[in-house]
Amino acid sequence: MKKFLLGTAVGCLLGAAAVVVVAFAMLRLARRPPDVPGDATLVLRLEGSVPEVVPLDLPLAAVGRRGPIGLGEYWDILRKAAVDRRIRAVVVMPENLETGWAKLEQLRESLERFRRSGKPLYAWLRRPGTREYFLAVTAERVYMGPEDYLDFKGLRLELIYLRDTLQKLGIEVEVATSGKYKDAPDMFTRRGMSPQTREVLNSILDETFERLLQAVAGGRRQPPERIRSLIDEGPFTSTQALAKGLVDGLLHQDQVFEEIQSRLRLPRLRKVGAAEYRRVSATSLGLEGRARIAVIAAAGMIVRGSVPRAVLGDGLIGSEDFAALLAEVAGDERIRGVIVRIDSPGGDATASEEIWRQMSLLSKKKPLVISLSDSAASGGYYIALAGDHIIAEPTAVVGSIGVILQTLNWKVLAEKIGVTDTTVKSGQNKDLLNPFRDVPPEQLELLQALIDSFHKRFCELVCNSRRMTMEELKPLADGRIFTAKDALDNRLADTIGYWDDAVARMAELLNTASIKIVRYQYRPSLSEILANLAAPIPDIRSMAAEPPRLLYLWQP
């Protein structure tokens, strides 16, 4: 028996050692620079969402399908391809894109910058919609399949309202806000869109639609009014799209590459993918200097505490995780400046304050430039106020300076299904927002006072950061969301621009043109990941016992 146990233990140890050796070997293999052939064509297959924060690559990822490529990585890939003599052309193949318009604008700007290098850019489309076509028209030639269709027919915003559904179930939503434009709870409390929400969304839609028209008109060398007219005729079959000048040719994918090979006059077309090419060192192409700039992405809903899975790409910003990352960057003497890329509709007020505090401490040590992506609203804008300079993408939504509090009232539903609640308390307000009873007027007044206090704090930060008086800010601090242009006009942002503009602004602050970009991302230990995966889901009793949370949140 002893020999059996000893043999089993030794076998387990040897197996574990083998796994570690293989993992490290594959990690080294994954990090080796790729072998890019001369006269190569870079193929960018853009699908799904293009995240600001990408899942971490684990060592064994080298043997399987790698994770998605982030927006910043595409920016880096295309700037490298523009100067890399081995890359003769780029083919962009967007399909089923689900990303926001500000990210699309950044991708488009990166593609246009590549074209300015003088190298050819081609596009091939499969089942293209408006998003895919918006990117494709950057190319000098746009192709699609002979038996396909172009779903190019404009933009729309659609909201769903659940008030009647919740009432039928016996559920009410208790809401208190600090501004008439603070409409995140409307989907639970209204039957349709409020005039304020319609005003804001029309403004956003008009701005985005105008930029779409100008982009397509410029790319296809047609007047904007003709493109506006064509949109009303969509969608189009491949033949119709070709006849109306929306594409340049109808070819299958293999025929497109044959066409490119012929245009480049190459005996053989050598293709390299984005996942492989992103491992090419920028230093090897002379693109990196000495001044190390940290780039950090704050993407997702802001929540309290540590959320390890958030940094694996699930769309949450844990205040403890992010604060720790900021503190690490602040203490890194090699880093001379920091760019924080924000894509957040906001979230928990306390968590937003914690992140703002750490970003403020960082900004006292090093220049801090803020780059706003799709959304920098409520808590997302709150943390942006710590920066020295705020740059908004052209179709970013900015602001929503206000506070909300919302909670569910289960009283009617509980009565329907025979649930009774008995409370024993030792303090007058210990049962504040008890989900099984209506909120009395005196407690509503207490909650409103809390909201007003948090709103005042938000406004004070805006005034201090944006050098405004409270009287100047007051008309803007009612929860309203702004387009990038309106944010600039109202002094809530300093510049409208892209990644290149954020890097250029940092170079100005550091008085150098020699920039080396270092991407920082919180990396949980293996024990943290395993502990998080094994963590139990909180039950409804613990959720009901939590104190009410004030939110800096915007959600259309």
Side-chain angles (χ1 to χ4, degrees):
M1 185 65 179
K2 290 183 179 179
K3 291 183 178 181
F4 173 76
L5 293 176
L6 180 62
T8 301
V10 171
C12 291
L13 289 174
L14 290 175
V19 169
V20 171
V21 170
V22 171
F24 275 101
M26 292 190 174
L27 181 61
R28 288 178 61 86
L29 180 64
R31 289 179 174 176
R32 285 176 55 186
D35 183 17
V36 180
D39 293 332
T41 297
L42 176 62
V43 180
L44 304 181
R45 299 178 185 272
L46 295 161
E47 296 184 57
S49 64
V50 182
E52 298 284 352
V53 180
V54 298
L56 296 173
D57 280 333
L58 299 178
L60 292 178
V63 298
R65 186 175 183 271
R66 300 183 67 86
I69 298 175
L71 185 67
E73 290 180 293
Y74 277 117
W75 173 82
D76 196 45
I77 286 170
L78 285 163
R79 77 181 181 118
K80 290 186 293 190
V83 300
D84 192 340
R85 294 181 179 179
R86 297 169 297 180
I87 300 297
R88 291 285 305 275
V90 167
V91 180
V92 59
M93 302 169 65
E95 183 176 357
N96 296 325
L97 287 173
E98 299 172 356
T99 195
W101 280 93
K103 294 188 185 72
L104 286 174
E105 287 253 22
Q106 177 57 64
L107 286 168
R108 177 182 168 79
E109 171 63 19
S110 297
L111 291 168
E112 288 185 339
R113 182 190 58 189
F114 173 81
R115 278 204 66 181
R116 291 194 290 270
S117 71
K119 297 181 180 181
L121 172 67
Y122 304 100
W124 184 74
L125 297 168
R126 176 191 284 139
R127 299 187 299 275
T130 301
R131 282 179 167 82
E132 293 78 16
Y133 190 63
F134 177 73
L135 289 184
V137 294
T138 314
E140 63 182 65
R141 292 190 66 82
V142 180
Y143 302 97
M144 64 184 298
E147 296 297 329
D148 206 340
Y149 70 96
L150 175 60
D151 191 15
F152 179 51
K153 54 183 188 292
L155 306 175
R156 74 173 185 180
L157 289 170
E158 186 174 0
L159 303 182
I160 295 175
Y161 294 89
L162 304 174
R163 174 181 170 176
D164 290 346
T165 302
L166 294 178
Q167 283 186 344
K168 289 178 180 179
L169 294 172
I171 301 173
E172 293 185 4
V173 180
E174 304 281 359
V175 175
T177 70
S178 63
K180 64 180 181 179
Y181 286 88
K182 207 68 178 170
D183 59 359
D186 282 4
M187 70 176 294
F188 306 114
T189 61
R190 295 182 58 89
R191 292 189 175 92
M193 195 178 296
S194 69
Q196 293 83 10
T197 298
R198 188 175 297 276
E199 172 193 343
V200 168
L201 295 186
N202 274 332
S203 175
I204 294 171
L205 194 64
D206 290 346
E207 178 72 19
T208 306
F209 186 62
E210 185 60 31
R211 295 191 65 82
L212 170 66
L213 284 178
Q214 296 299 326
V216 175
R220 301 310 301 166
R221 297 180 179 85
Q222 297 190 36
E225 288 309 311
R226 171 167 167 74
I227 300 300
R228 187 189 300 271
S229 176
L230 285 174
I231 285 175
D232 291 336
E233 299 177 21
F236 307 93
T237 65
S238 297
T239 304
Q240 290 172 330
L242 179 63
K244 294 180 182 296
L246 295 174
V247 297
D248 298 296
L250 306 181
L251 300 174
H252 293 288
Q253 185 177 147
D254 61 304
Q255 293 175 314
V256 170
F257 287 114
E258 291 173 2
E259 173 81 3
I260 294 172
Q261 178 181 343
S262 174
R263 284 179 170 273
L264 296 177
R265 299 178 181 177
L266 297 175
R268 177 185 175 190
L269 191 71
R270 300 175 182 270
K271 293 180 281 188
V272 59
E276 181 181 8
Y277 189 74
R278 66 177 169 179
R279 293 188 287 115
V280 170
S281 167
T283 302
S284 67
L285 300 173
L287 289 174
E288 292 187 335
R290 295 183 179 180
R292 296 169 67 91
I293 304 303
V295 174
I296 308 173
M301 188 81 73
I302 299 172
V303 297
R304 296 186 201 179
S306 178
V307 189
R309 269 187 281 191
V311 296
L312 300 181
D314 71 354
L316 296 175
I317 306 170
S319 59
E320 287 185 13
D321 302 330
F322 201 73
L325 182 60
L326 293 167
E328 179 185 343
V329 174
D332 191 338
E333 296 181 355
R334 300 170 299 171
I335 298 298
R336 292 186 56 191
V338 182
I339 298 174
V340 175
R341 175 82 169 175
I342 297 177
D343 182 16
S344 172
D348 185 87
T350 301
S352 300
E353 172 73 17
E354 291 173 358
I355 293 174
W356 171 86
R357 171 63 177 169
Q358 198 61 53
M359 287 180 65
S360 296
L361 294 175
L362 172 61
S363 69
K364 292 177 181 178
K365 294 183 177 181
K366 301 170 184 183
L368 177 60
V369 171
I370 306 296
S371 174
L372 307 183
S373 183
D374 284 316
S375 175
S378 293
Y381 186 66
Y382 193 102
I383 65 176
L385 295 170
D388 301 310
H389 193 88
I390 298 177
I391 301 175
E393 294 272 359
T395 47
V397 291
V398 183
S400 192
I401 302 167
V403 192
I404 62 171
L405 184 148
Q406 64 185 44
T407 185
L408 295 178
N409 184 333
W410 305 85
K411 177 184 174 182
V412 177
L413 176 61
E415 292 174 351
K416 286 182 178 180
I417 61 177
V419 175
T420 58
D421 172 65
T422 302
T423 300
V424 178
K425 62 181 181 179
S426 59
Q428 180 65 29
N429 296 313
K430 183 57 181 175
D431 61 344
L432 185 71
L433 295 182
N434 185 318
F436 297 104
R437 66 170 175 80
D438 297 326
V439 183
E442 60 272 16
Q443 289 192 350
L444 284 176
E445 292 179 6
L446 175 61
L447 292 172
Q448 190 61 52
L450 285 173
I451 287 175
D452 293 342
S453 175
F454 274 74
H455 188 212
K456 181 181 178 183
R457 167 65 174 166
F458 198 162
C459 291
E460 288 172 348
L461 289 184
V462 177
C463 289
N464 292 336
S465 173
R466 307 308 303 163
R467 297 176 178 84
M468 302 170 70
T469 65
M470 197 63 75
E471 290 71 24
E472 290 174 320
L473 177 62
K474 188 176 180 180
L476 312 175
D478 54 4
R480 188 179 321 190
I481 199 76
F482 298 94
T483 64
K485 180 180 181 300
D486 289 338
L488 180 64
D489 292 341
N490 287 294
R491 296 158 55 194
L492 298 178
D494 297 297
T495 314
I496 295 177
Y498 302 96
W499 256 109
D500 286 330
D501 300 291
V503 173
R505 179 56 179 159
M506 180 58 70
E508 289 178 14
L509 293 173
L510 295 176
N511 193 27
T512 181
S514 181
I515 296 290
K516 177 180 176 64
I517 294 175
V518 180
R519 299 189 184 280
Y520 267 75
Q521 183 174 347
Y522 176 72
R523 296 178 178 271
S525 65
L526 180 60
S527 61
E528 284 181 295
I529 295 174
L530 294 177
N532 183 260
L533 293 174
I537 299 174
D539 62 32
I540 191 168
R541 290 171 298 176
S542 64
M543 294 170 66
E546 287 188 353
R549 294 198 170 183
L550 298 168
L551 301 175
Y552 297 134
L553 177 67
W554 175 80
Q555 191 70 40

